[in-house]
PDB file of all heavy atoms in Angstrom:
ATOM      1  N   ILE A 119      -8.198  14.784 -14.075  1.00 85.00           N
ATOM      2  CA  ILE A 119      -8.697  15.915 -14.936  1.00 85.00           C
ATOM      3  C   ILE A 119      -9.140  17.051 -14.007  1.00 85.00           C
ATOM      4  O   ILE A 119      -8.816  18.239 -14.230  1.00 85.00           O
ATOM      5  CB  ILE A 119      -9.753  15.473 -15.922  1.00 85.00           C
ATOM      6  CG1 ILE A 119      -9.081  14.406 -16.841  1.00 85.00           C
ATOM      7  CG2 ILE A 119     -10.396  16.526 -16.518  1.00 85.00           C
ATOM      8  CD1 ILE A 119     -10.105  13.648 -17.700  1.00 85.00           C
ATOM      9  N   ASN A 120     -10.009  16.825 -13.023  1.00 82.00           N
ATOM     10  CA  ASN A 120     -10.503  17.901 -12.177  1.00 82.00           C
ATOM     11  C   ASN A 120      -9.531  18.606 -11.405  1.00 82.00           C
ATOM     12  O   ASN A 120      -9.665  19.809 -11.248  1.00 82.00           O
ATOM     13  CB  ASN A 120     -11.541  17.347 -11.160  1.00 82.00           C
ATOM     14  CG  ASN A 120     -12.921  17.169 -11.803  1.00 82.00           C
ATOM     15  OD1 ASN A 120     -13.224  17.817 -12.790  1.00 82.00           O
ATOM     16  ND2 ASN A 120     -13.835  16.399 -11.333  1.00 82.00           N
ATOM     17  N   PRO A 121      -8.294  18.009 -10.987  1.00 79.00           N
ATOM     18  CA  PRO A 121      -7.190  18.882 -10.351  1.00 79.00           C
ATOM     19  C   PRO A 121      -6.765  19.910 -11.356  1.00 79.00           C
ATOM     20  O   PRO A 121      -6.460  21.032 -10.906  1.00 79.00           O
ATOM     21  CB  PRO A 121      -6.170  17.896  -9.887  1.00 79.00           C
ATOM     22  CG  PRO A 121      -6.911  16.642  -9.773  1.00 79.00           C
ATOM     23  CD  PRO A 121      -8.044  16.564 -10.761  1.00 79.00           C
ATOM     24  N   GLN A 122      -6.659  19.676 -12.645  1.00 78.00           N
ATOM     25  CA  GLN A 122      -6.213  20.611 -13.605  1.00 78.00           C
ATOM     26  C   GLN A 122      -7.245  21.681 -13.854  1.00 78.00           C
ATOM     27  O   GLN A 122      -6.937  22.839 -13.863  1.00 78.00           O
ATOM     28  CB  GLN A 122      -5.931  19.912 -14.975  1.00 78.00           C
ATOM     29  CG  GLN A 122      -4.768  18.962 -14.846  1.00 78.00           C
ATOM     30  CD  GLN A 122      -4.534  18.164 -16.121  1.00 78.00           C
ATOM     31  OE1 GLN A 122      -4.584  18.680 -17.151  1.00 78.00           O
ATOM     32  NE2 GLN A 122      -4.086  16.918 -16.020  1.00 78.00           N
ATOM     33  N   LEU A 123      -8.670  21.157 -13.921  1.00 80.00           N
ATOM     34  CA  LEU A 123      -9.693  22.114 -14.043  1.00 80.00           C
ATOM     35  C   LEU A 123      -9.874  23.066 -12.894  1.00 80.00           C
ATOM     36  O   LEU A 123     -10.245  24.153 -12.969  1.00 80.00           O
ATOM     37  CB  LEU A 123     -11.006  21.400 -14.375  1.00 80.00           C
ATOM     38  CG  LEU A 123     -11.027  20.646 -15.777  1.00 80.00           C
ATOM     39  CD1 LEU A 123     -12.391  19.946 -15.867  1.00 80.00           C
ATOM     40  CD2 LEU A 123     -10.805  21.632 -16.909  1.00 80.00           C
ATOM     41  N   ALA A 124      -9.449  22.498 -11.694  1.00 77.00           N
ATOM     42  CA  ALA A 124      -9.668  23.291 -10.296  1.00 77.00           C
ATOM     43  C   ALA A 124      -8.731  24.560 -10.386  1.00 77.00           C
ATOM     44  O   ALA A 124      -9.004  25.590  -9.723  1.00 77.00           O
ATOM     45  CB  ALA A 124      -9.283  22.337  -9.181  1.00 77.00           C
ATOM     46  N   ASN A 125      -7.608  24.451 -11.200  1.00 73.00           N
ATOM     47  CA  ASN A 125      -6.727  25.715 -11.239  1.00 73.00           C
ATOM     48  C   ASN A 125      -7.400  26.820 -11.867  1.00 73.00           C
ATOM     49  O   ASN A 125      -7.034  27.926 -11.727  1.00 73.00           O
ATOM     50  CB  ASN A 125      -5.499  25.257 -12.147  1.00 73.00           C
ATOM     51  CG  ASN A 125      -4.585  24.315 -11.451  1.00 73.00           C
ATOM     52  OD1 ASN A 125      -4.558  24.249 -10.264  1.00 73.00           O
ATOM     53  ND2 ASN A 125      -3.847  23.541 -12.156  1.00 73.00           N
ATOM     54  N   HIS A 126      -8.550  26.600 -12.546  1.00 75.00           N
ATOM     55  CA  HIS A 126      -9.343  27.684 -13.204  1.00 75.00           C
ATOM     56  C   HIS A 126     -10.710  27.721 -12.642  1.00 75.00           C
ATOM     57  O   HIS A 126     -11.595  28.410 -13.139  1.00 75.00           O
ATOM     58  CB  HIS A 126      -9.500  27.447 -14.713  1.00 75.00           C
ATOM     59  CG  HIS A 126      -8.207  27.234 -15.303  1.00 75.00           C
ATOM     60  ND1 HIS A 126      -7.389  28.389 -15.634  1.00 75.00           N
ATOM     61  CD2 HIS A 126      -7.446  26.133 -15.842  1.00 75.00           C
ATOM     62  CE1 HIS A 126      -6.328  27.988 -16.276  1.00 75.00           C
ATOM     63  NE2 HIS A 126      -6.295  26.633 -16.339  1.00 75.00           N
ATOM     64  N   GLY A 127     -10.860  27.059 -11.482  1.00 79.00           N
ATOM     65  CA  GLY A 127     -12.121  27.133 -10.685  1.00 79.00           C
ATOM     66  C   GLY A 127     -13.223  26.201 -11.299  1.00 79.00           C
ATOM     67  O   GLY A 127     -14.429  26.293 -11.089  1.00 79.00           O
ATOM     68  N   GLY A 128     -12.787  25.240 -12.197  1.00 80.00           N
ATOM     69  CA  GLY A 128     -13.809  24.334 -12.814  1.00 80.00           C
ATOM     70  C   GLY A 128     -13.762  22.981 -12.357  1.00 80.00           C
ATOM     71  O   GLY A 128     -12.976  22.479 -11.553  1.00 80.00           O
ATOM     72  N   ARG A 129     -14.675  22.110 -12.839  1.00 83.00           N
ATOM     73  CA  ARG A 129     -14.795  20.765 -12.635  1.00 83.00           C
ATOM     74  C   ARG A 129     -15.715  20.049 -13.564  1.00 83.00           C
ATOM     75  O   ARG A 129     -16.452  20.770 -14.268  1.00 83.00           O
ATOM     76  CB  ARG A 129     -15.333  20.525 -11.120  1.00 83.00           C
ATOM     77  CG  ARG A 129     -16.805  20.903 -11.010  1.00 83.00           C
ATOM     78  CD  ARG A 129     -17.271  20.717  -9.547  1.00 83.00           C
ATOM     79  NE  ARG A 129     -18.636  21.249  -9.417  1.00 83.00           N
ATOM     80  CZ  ARG A 129     -18.925  22.481  -9.289  1.00 83.00           C
ATOM     81  NH1 ARG A 129     -17.977  23.430  -9.387  1.00 83.00           N
ATOM     82  NH2 ARG A 129     -20.131  22.878  -9.163  1.00 83.00           N
ATOM     83  N   VAL A 130     -15.687  18.767 -13.663  1.00 85.00           N
ATOM     84  CA  VAL A 130     -16.448  18.025 -14.555  1.00 85.00           C
ATOM     85  C   VAL A 130     -16.835  16.683 -13.914  1.00 85.00           C
ATOM     86  O   VAL A 130     -16.062  16.154 -13.043  1.00 85.00           O
ATOM     87  CB  VAL A 130     -15.831  17.796 -15.956  1.00 85.00           C
ATOM     88  CG1 VAL A 130     -14.585  16.796 -15.898  1.00 85.00           C
ATOM     89  CG2 VAL A 130     -16.782  17.298 -17.039  1.00 85.00           C
ATOM     90  N   SER A 131     -18.045  16.040 -14.191  1.00 88.00           N
ATOM     91  CA  SER A 131     -18.398  14.872 -13.737  1.00 88.00           C
ATOM     92  C   SER A 131     -19.212  14.111 -14.824  1.00 88.00           C
ATOM     93  O   SER A 131     -19.812  14.714 -15.642  1.00 88.00           O
ATOM     94  CB  SER A 131     -19.251  15.123 -12.377  1.00 88.00           C
ATOM     95  OG  SER A 131     -20.507  15.795 -12.752  1.00 88.00           O
ATOM     96  N   VAL A 132     -19.307  12.722 -14.525  1.00 92.00           N
ATOM     97  CA  VAL A 132     -19.989  11.866 -15.476  1.00 92.00           C
ATOM     98  C   VAL A 132     -21.485  11.848 -14.979  1.00 92.00           C
ATOM     99  O   VAL A 132     -21.855  11.569 -13.919  1.00 92.00           O
ATOM    100  CB  VAL A 132     -19.477  10.399 -15.359  1.00 92.00           C
ATOM    101  CG1 VAL A 132     -20.217   9.550 -16.280  1.00 92.00           C
ATOM    102  CG2 VAL A 132     -18.026  10.455 -15.722  1.00 92.00           C
ATOM    103  N   VAL A 133     -22.361  12.266 -15.954  1.00 94.00           N
ATOM    104  CA  VAL A 133     -23.800  12.274 -15.591  1.00 94.00           C
ATOM    105  C   VAL A 133     -24.282  10.849 -15.906  1.00 94.00           C
ATOM    106  O   VAL A 133     -25.035  10.170 -15.070  1.00 94.00           O
ATOM    107  CB  VAL A 133     -24.637  13.158 -16.541  1.00 94.00           C
ATOM    108  CG1 VAL A 133     -26.067  13.117 -16.375  1.00 94.00           C
ATOM    109  CG2 VAL A 133     -24.118  14.627 -16.129  1.00 94.00           C
ATOM    110  N   GLU A 134     -23.885  10.279 -17.118  1.00 93.00           N
ATOM    111  CA  GLU A 134     -24.285   8.842 -17.430  1.00 93.00           C
ATOM    112  C   GLU A 134     -23.359   8.348 -18.485  1.00 93.00           C
ATOM    113  O   GLU A 134     -22.496   9.029 -19.050  1.00 93.00           O
ATOM    114  CB  GLU A 134     -25.834   8.903 -17.900  1.00 93.00           C
ATOM    115  CG  GLU A 134     -25.876   9.415 -19.361  1.00 93.00           C
ATOM    116  CD  GLU A 134     -27.251   9.292 -19.901  1.00 93.00           C
ATOM    117  OE1 GLU A 134     -27.804   8.208 -20.120  1.00 93.00           O
ATOM    118  OE2 GLU A 134     -27.941  10.354 -20.306  1.00 93.00           O
ATOM    119  N   LEU A 135     -23.487   7.064 -18.716  1.00 94.00           N
ATOM    120  CA  LEU A 135     -22.718   6.320 -19.824  1.00 94.00           C
ATOM    121  C   LEU A 135     -23.746   5.720 -20.609  1.00 94.00           C
ATOM    122  O   LEU A 135     -24.525   4.913 -20.061  1.00 94.00           O
ATOM    123  CB  LEU A 135     -21.709   5.322 -19.140  1.00 94.00           C
ATOM    124  CG  LEU A 135     -20.788   4.644 -19.998  1.00 94.00           C
ATOM    125  CD1 LEU A 135     -19.804   5.846 -20.402  1.00 94.00           C
ATOM    126  CD2 LEU A 135     -19.932   3.706 -19.337  1.00 94.00           C
ATOM    127  N   THR A 136     -23.826   6.067 -21.866  1.00 93.00           N
ATOM    128  CA  THR A 136     -24.899   5.566 -22.803  1.00 93.00           C
ATOM    129  C   THR A 136     -24.569   4.181 -23.219  1.00 93.00           C
ATOM    130  O   THR A 136     -23.486   3.701 -23.110  1.00 93.00           O
ATOM    131  CB  THR A 136     -25.038   6.498 -23.979  1.00 93.00           C
ATOM    132  OG1 THR A 136     -23.833   6.319 -24.778  1.00 93.00           O
ATOM    133  CG2 THR A 136     -25.331   7.965 -23.619  1.00 93.00           C
ATOM    134  N   ASN A 137     -25.620   3.476 -23.733  1.00 93.00           N
ATOM    135  CA  ASN A 137     -25.467   2.150 -24.210  1.00 93.00           C
ATOM    136  C   ASN A 137     -24.543   2.019 -25.447  1.00 93.00           C
ATOM    137  O   ASN A 137     -23.832   0.942 -25.563  1.00 93.00           O
ATOM    138  CB  ASN A 137     -26.802   1.524 -24.673  1.00 93.00           C
ATOM    139  CG  ASN A 137     -27.676   1.248 -23.501  1.00 93.00           C
ATOM    140  OD1 ASN A 137     -27.122   1.110 -22.358  1.00 93.00           O
ATOM    141  ND2 ASN A 137     -28.989   1.257 -23.748  1.00 93.00           N
ATOM    142  N   ASP A 138     -24.348   3.108 -26.115  1.00 93.00           N
ATOM    143  CA  ASP A 138     -23.315   3.179 -27.227  1.00 93.00           C
ATOM    144  C   ASP A 138     -21.841   3.558 -26.833  1.00 93.00           C
ATOM    145  O   ASP A 138     -21.128   3.814 -27.682  1.00 93.00           O
ATOM    146  CB  ASP A 138     -23.958   3.839 -28.428  1.00 93.00           C
ATOM    147  CG  ASP A 138     -24.190   5.325 -28.160  1.00 93.00           C
ATOM    148  OD1 ASP A 138     -24.228   5.629 -27.019  1.00 93.00           O
ATOM    149  OD2 ASP A 138     -24.265   6.035 -29.052  1.00 93.00           O
ATOM    150  N   GLY A 139     -21.758   3.658 -25.561  1.00 92.00           N
ATOM    151  CA  GLY A 139     -20.292   3.884 -24.946  1.00 92.00           C
ATOM    152  C   GLY A 139     -19.959   5.461 -24.980  1.00 92.00           C
ATOM    153  O   GLY A 139     -18.738   5.669 -25.170  1.00 92.00           O
ATOM    154  N   VAL A 140     -20.909   6.268 -24.888  1.00 93.00           N
ATOM    155  CA  VAL A 140     -20.603   7.742 -24.789  1.00 93.00           C
ATOM    156  C   VAL A 140     -20.770   8.240 -23.406  1.00 93.00           C
ATOM    157  O   VAL A 140     -21.762   7.919 -22.695  1.00 93.00           O
ATOM    158  CB  VAL A 140     -21.535   8.489 -25.829  1.00 93.00           C
ATOM    159  CG1 VAL A 140     -21.342   9.947 -25.455  1.00 93.00           C
ATOM    160  CG2 VAL A 140     -21.337   8.132 -27.190  1.00 93.00           C
ATOM    161  N   ALA A 141     -19.658   8.860 -22.886  1.00 93.00           N
ATOM    162  CA  ALA A 141     -19.696   9.380 -21.588  1.00 93.00           C
ATOM    163  C   ALA A 141     -20.405  10.802 -21.614  1.00 93.00           C
ATOM    164  O   ALA A 141     -19.845  11.648 -22.297  1.00 93.00           O
ATOM    165  CB  ALA A 141     -18.275   9.335 -20.929  1.00 93.00           C
ATOM    166  N   VAL A 142     -21.431  10.918 -20.932  1.00 92.00           N
ATOM    167  CA  VAL A 142     -22.164  12.190 -20.924  1.00 92.00           C
ATOM    168  C   VAL A 142     -21.561  12.979 -19.707  1.00 92.00           C
ATOM    169  O   VAL A 142     -21.786  12.549 -18.605  1.00 92.00           O
ATOM    170  CB  VAL A 142     -23.691  11.976 -20.848  1.00 92.00           C
ATOM    171  CG1 VAL A 142     -24.375  13.361 -20.759  1.00 92.00           C
ATOM    172  CG2 VAL A 142     -24.196  11.178 -22.031  1.00 92.00           C
ATOM    173  N   LEU A 143     -21.052  14.200 -19.973  1.00 89.00           N
ATOM    174  CA  LEU A 143     -20.415  14.947 -18.975  1.00 89.00           C
ATOM    175  C   LEU A 143     -21.038  16.257 -18.471  1.00 89.00           C
ATOM    176  O   LEU A 143     -21.779  16.804 -19.469  1.00 89.00           O
ATOM    177  CB  LEU A 143     -18.933  15.265 -19.309  1.00 89.00           C
ATOM    178  CG  LEU A 143     -18.069  14.150 -19.812  1.00 89.00           C
ATOM    179  CD1 LEU A 143     -16.730  14.662 -20.315  1.00 89.00           C
ATOM    180  CD2 LEU A 143     -17.926  13.122 -18.621  1.00 89.00           C
ATOM    181  N   GLN A 144     -20.921  16.746 -17.339  1.00 87.00           N
ATOM    182  CA  GLN A 144     -21.481  17.994 -16.846  1.00 87.00           C
ATOM    183  C   GLN A 144     -20.387  18.774 -16.384  1.00 87.00           C
ATOM    184  O   GLN A 144     -19.737  18.352 -15.425  1.00 87.00           O
ATOM    185  CB  GLN A 144     -22.611  17.646 -15.832  1.00 87.00           C
ATOM    186  CG  GLN A 144     -23.177  18.964 -15.185  1.00 87.00           C
ATOM    187  CD  GLN A 144     -24.304  19.546 -15.900  1.00 87.00           C
ATOM    188  OE1 GLN A 144     -25.106  18.800 -16.495  1.00 87.00           O
ATOM    189  NE2 GLN A 144     -24.183  20.826 -16.143  1.00 87.00           N
ATOM    190  N   PHE A 145     -20.303  20.037 -16.888  1.00 82.00           N
ATOM    191  CA  PHE A 145     -19.208  20.846 -16.418  1.00 82.00           C
ATOM    192  C   PHE A 145     -19.819  21.812 -15.377  1.00 82.00           C
ATOM    193  O   PHE A 145     -21.025  22.000 -15.257  1.00 82.00           O
ATOM    194  CB  PHE A 145     -18.598  21.806 -17.490  1.00 82.00           C
ATOM    195  CG  PHE A 145     -17.714  21.138 -18.381  1.00 82.00           C
ATOM    196  CD1 PHE A 145     -18.182  20.472 -19.594  1.00 82.00           C
ATOM    197  CD2 PHE A 145     -16.302  21.096 -18.233  1.00 82.00           C
ATOM    198  CE1 PHE A 145     -17.328  19.787 -20.406  1.00 82.00           C
ATOM    199  CE2 PHE A 145     -15.488  20.498 -19.011  1.00 82.00           C
ATOM    200  CZ  PHE A 145     -15.905  19.857 -20.167  1.00 82.00           C
ATOM    201  N   GLY A 146     -19.026  22.272 -14.361  1.00 80.00           N
ATOM    202  CA  GLY A 146     -19.437  23.210 -13.468  1.00 80.00           C
ATOM    203  C   GLY A 146     -18.413  24.213 -13.052  1.00 80.00           C
ATOM    204  O   GLY A 146     -17.211  24.085 -13.508  1.00 80.00           O
ATOM    205  N   GLY A 147     -18.609  25.093 -12.091  1.00 78.00           N
ATOM    206  CA  GLY A 147     -17.722  26.026 -11.650  1.00 78.00           C
ATOM    207  C   GLY A 147     -17.204  26.986 -12.786  1.00 78.00           C
ATOM    208  O   GLY A 147     -18.043  27.448 -13.630  1.00 78.00           O
ATOM    209  N   GLY A 148     -15.956  27.297 -12.859  1.00 73.00           N
ATOM    210  CA  GLY A 148     -15.357  28.084 -13.841  1.00 73.00           C
ATOM    211  C   GLY A 148     -15.468  27.605 -15.199  1.00 73.00           C
ATOM    212  O   GLY A 148     -15.339  28.357 -16.132  1.00 73.00           O
ATOM    213  N   CYS A 149     -15.832  26.292 -15.478  1.00 72.00           N
ATOM    214  CA  CYS A 149     -15.987  25.834 -16.804  1.00 72.00           C
ATOM    215  C   CYS A 149     -17.384  26.146 -17.396  1.00 72.00           C
ATOM    216  O   CYS A 149     -17.628  26.126 -18.566  1.00 72.00           O
ATOM    217  CB  CYS A 149     -15.825  24.333 -16.842  1.00 72.00           C
ATOM    218  SG  CYS A 149     -14.231  23.720 -16.527  1.00 72.00           S
ATOM    219  N   ASN A 150     -18.266  26.447 -16.532  1.00 69.00           N
ATOM    220  CA  ASN A 150     -19.638  26.877 -16.927  1.00 69.00           C
ATOM    221  C   ASN A 150     -19.616  28.239 -17.486  1.00 69.00           C
ATOM    222  O   ASN A 150     -19.470  29.234 -16.783  1.00 69.00           O
ATOM    223  CB  ASN A 150     -20.510  26.782 -15.679  1.00 69.00           C
ATOM    224  CG  ASN A 150     -22.090  26.716 -16.088  1.00 69.00           C
ATOM    225  OD1 ASN A 150     -22.364  26.937 -17.212  1.00 69.00           O
ATOM    226  ND2 ASN A 150     -22.987  26.528 -15.161  1.00 69.00           N
TER     227      ASN A 150
END
Side-chain angles (χ1 to χ4, degrees):
I119 295 169
N120 277 339
Q122 294 174 39
L123 295 177
N125 291 332
H126 304 282
R129 66 184 176 281
V130 67
S131 61
V132 179
V133 174
E134 70 173 305
L135 197 62
T136 66
N137 291 335
D138 58 343
V140 174
V142 179
L143 306 178
Q144 175 82 43
F145 285 89
C149 292
N150 192 356

